[in-house]
Amino acid sequence: MATILNDCFAEHHKLLPAEEALARLRAGVSPVVGCEEVSLANAKGRILAQNLVSPNNVPPFNNAAVDGYAFNSQDLSANIETTLAISAYIAAGGETPAPLQSGSAARIFTGAPLPAGADTVIMQEDVTADEQSVSIPQHTKTGINWRPAGEDMSAGETVLLAGHRLRPQDIGCAAAMGYAKLSVFKRLKVAVFSSGNEIYEPGQTPPEGGIFDVNRYMLMTQVRQTGAEVSDLGILPDTLDATVAALDLAAKNHDLILSSGGVSTGDKDHIAHAINQLGQINFWRLAIKPGRPLAFGHIANTALIGFPGNPVATGVCFMRFGFPLLCALSGQIWPEPIKLTLPAAFSLSKKPGRTEWLRANLQVDTNGRSQVDKHPRQGSGILTSLVGADGLIELCESSTRIEIGDAVSFLPFSQFNVA
Ligand code: AMP
Ligand code: MG
């Protein structure tokens, strides 16, 4: 085994910086799934495979923004109240009204087409009126209370780009443009398994030395949150043959394989060797904490990430590496996390030369300012630190010391769909 490590994996002896690993993931990724049409009702969370160009102006016609009276400001008398005869009655849903008769007003309701010749709508609350006439106070502001055609989206405008994940507001926007169906990327097929002779299914009674499988359930949920289809491939024993056979089979009908455990350099760690036997490893050992062993490679066209076994490391590494890769393979534009810069409510010494992610909480200090505190227990076996946190603090490779009040980068969990 040592020979294989030295020969085939020599490059991986140096720990790869997190930024370099992310850059490699990003450079090599493109959508691997085809397209399908979905109705608007089924489009939430799907990724657009077409640019959405507005075929029409939205709104399609000039229309009243309030219930009131439409008139032309040229017809107002200076410095005195003006009374105009009401010459038309225009409700929402009617045909294009006739042009406004000069010197008159139209009764109009919200969403109704503004008649040509009118340039102002006054709210009904701001006038005195009866069925025949309306009195408009002096100093009334003109040119307001109506919405021009195309003020939101103009005909021919590209409103949403291919690669955008559809949120409720985007689906509303597609509806406003008149789309009934959308072309979206098919769901990515993702295989998930755990590995380790000590790992048992929750619900079973594990024997001495056994523990319950955390990672598979956490990873499958994280994957589903991105909209991908999950195949639950269970728990692999710690043998090279079983690992090779399982990866080989999974690669045949999945776009991505995620495994956890067995990715280090111990005698019982077979994931990296199995990938190397069946395909290629792109990187394996990273300058990160939690984590370090994290294998990325390919078996034919199927991408594969082998996460470290410790559940915190698996959870965090999924967020930082797995999540963007999965999104991009699914057709989404690579989601670069937004890093909030906030003062630290803690001090800490850190080893240089690796990127670290602390589980952390947002807080408000006594002056009402936002700050971020690290969870008190940071061990990579402390799964409750993930449960008790709102996000991750990212400490860059070069940093060695954080003092209270220093600016640190905070990545809310909401960015990884795990808030
Ligand atoms: P490994 O990298 O396989 O040596 O695993 C590192 C640590 O993570 C060990 O303590 C394993 O028992 C633990 N571990 C590995 N896989 C899982 C899992 N699926 N659920 C919970 N703990 C795990
Ligand atoms: Mg193991």
Side-chain angles (χ1 to χ4, degrees):
M1 200 61 72
T3 328
I4 299 177
L5 288 180
N6 289 338
D7 291 345
C8 303
F9 298 169
E11 193 214 324
H12 306 296
H13 285 205
K14 196 174 152 279
L15 298 183
L16 192 71
E19 289 310 318
E20 170 69 24
L22 285 166
R24 285 200 204 176
L25 284 180
R26 189 173 181 170
V29 72
S30 56
V32 296
V33 282
C35 306
E36 61 185 338
E37 283 216 318
V38 291
S39 68
L40 289 188
N42 293 318
K44 192 198 155 258
R46 303 302 300 269
I47 298 161
L48 265 182
Q50 62 176 139
N51 286 343
L52 283 196
V53 177
S54 188
N56 307 303
N57 282 327
V58 179
F61 47 85
N62 298 342
N63 67 96
V66 296
D67 291 337
Y69 298 84
F71 60 89
N72 190 310
S73 56
Q74 306 271 307
D75 292 331
L76 295 188
S77 318
N79 300 322
I80 188 172
E81 182 183 80
T82 308
T83 297
L84 299 173
I86 296 171
S87 60
Y89 185 96
I90 312 169
E95 289 171 6
T96 304
L100 186 67
Q101 280 175 31
S102 175
S104 77
R107 180 75 168 115
I108 196 164
F109 298 91
T110 306
L114 189 76
D119 69 358
T120 304
V121 178
I122 187 166
M123 284 172 76
Q124 61 192 22
E125 292 84 347
D126 294 341
V127 299
T128 46
D130 57 27
E131 309 239 307
Q132 280 75 46
S133 67
V134 55
S135 297
I136 297 162
Q138 60 175 311
H139 309 311
T140 287
K141 198 170 170 201
T142 57
I144 61 166
N145 288 333
W146 61 278
R147 304 176 283 219
E151 79 161 355
D152 194 2
M153 299 166 237
S154 54
E157 181 182 340
T158 301
V159 178
L160 289 168
L161 292 177
H164 182 77
R165 185 182 290 280
L166 292 162
R167 305 164 299 168
Q169 57 269 45
D170 305 320
I171 294 167
C173 189
M177 290 186 271
Y179 285 93
K181 288 182 172 175
L182 300 174
S183 172
V184 299
F185 286 104
K186 287 187 177 163
R187 294 183 191 279
L188 198 73
K189 290 194 181 123
V190 184
V192 178
F193 58 79
S194 292
S195 71
N197 289 346
E198 77 282 30
I199 309 300
Y200 286 83
E201 196 60 36
Q204 291 181 340
T205 308
E208 252 175 57
I211 58 168
F212 293 122
D213 188 352
V214 172
N215 295 341
R216 208 166 99 250
Y217 288 97
M218 189 165 55
L219 278 175
M220 289 197 296
T221 312
Q222 285 175 309
V223 169
R224 284 197 190 101
Q225 295 277 71
T226 70
E229 260 173 35
V230 173
S231 301
D232 178 357
L233 297 194
I235 303 162
L236 285 177
D238 282 325
T239 68
L240 183 59
D241 287 353
T243 308
V244 168
L247 291 185
D248 195 20
L249 192 63
K252 292 195 164 54
N253 47 11
H254 293 93
D255 305 306
L256 173 68
I257 302 172
L258 302 180
S259 71
S260 68
V263 76
S264 200
T265 50
D267 286 352
K268 299 288 177 197
D269 296 320
H270 301 296
I271 297 289
H273 295 281
I275 304 171
N276 200 47
Q277 198 166 311
L278 295 163
Q280 314 83 44
I281 290 206
N282 188 295
F283 58 76
W284 182 21
R285 299 176 72 230
L286 307 186
I288 58 172
K289 186 185 170 191
R292 192 157 75 164
L294 188 150
F296 171 63
H298 283 87
I299 298 172
N301 290 325
T302 301
L304 190 149
I305 300 183
F307 289 104
N310 281 311
V312 174
T314 290
V316 169
C317 289
F318 178 86
M319 291 179 214
R320 222 38 202 91
F321 300 96
F323 177 78
L325 178 72
L326 213 149
C327 291
L329 289 171
S330 303
Q332 193 181 337
I333 295 163
W334 180 272
E336 203 53 52
I338 294 166
K339 299 177 185 176
L340 306 177
T341 303
L342 290 167
F346 60 92
S347 61
L348 168 121
S349 292
K350 171 187 164 292
K351 259 195 191 171
R354 68 185 181 198
T355 302
E356 291 192 15
W357 292 285
L358 308 174
R359 275 69 68 213
N361 292 97
L362 281 173
Q363 289 180 343
V364 178
D365 71 13
T366 46
N367 298 314
R369 283 187 291 257
S370 299
Q371 58 180 14
V372 66
D373 200 6
K374 69 182 175 68
H375 192 277
R377 301 172 72 210
Q378 290 289 332
S380 63
I382 308 294
L383 189 55
T384 48
S385 70
L386 269 180
V387 173
D390 309 312
L392 302 173
I393 290 173
E394 185 164 293
L395 302 176
C396 68
E397 261 192 47
S398 58
S399 80
T400 52
R401 179 85 197 149
I402 304 293
E403 301 292 353
I404 291 176
D406 282 357
V408 290
S409 289
F410 178 72
L411 289 69
F413 282 156
S414 52
Q415 300 199 40
F416 312 109
N417 272 357
V418 291

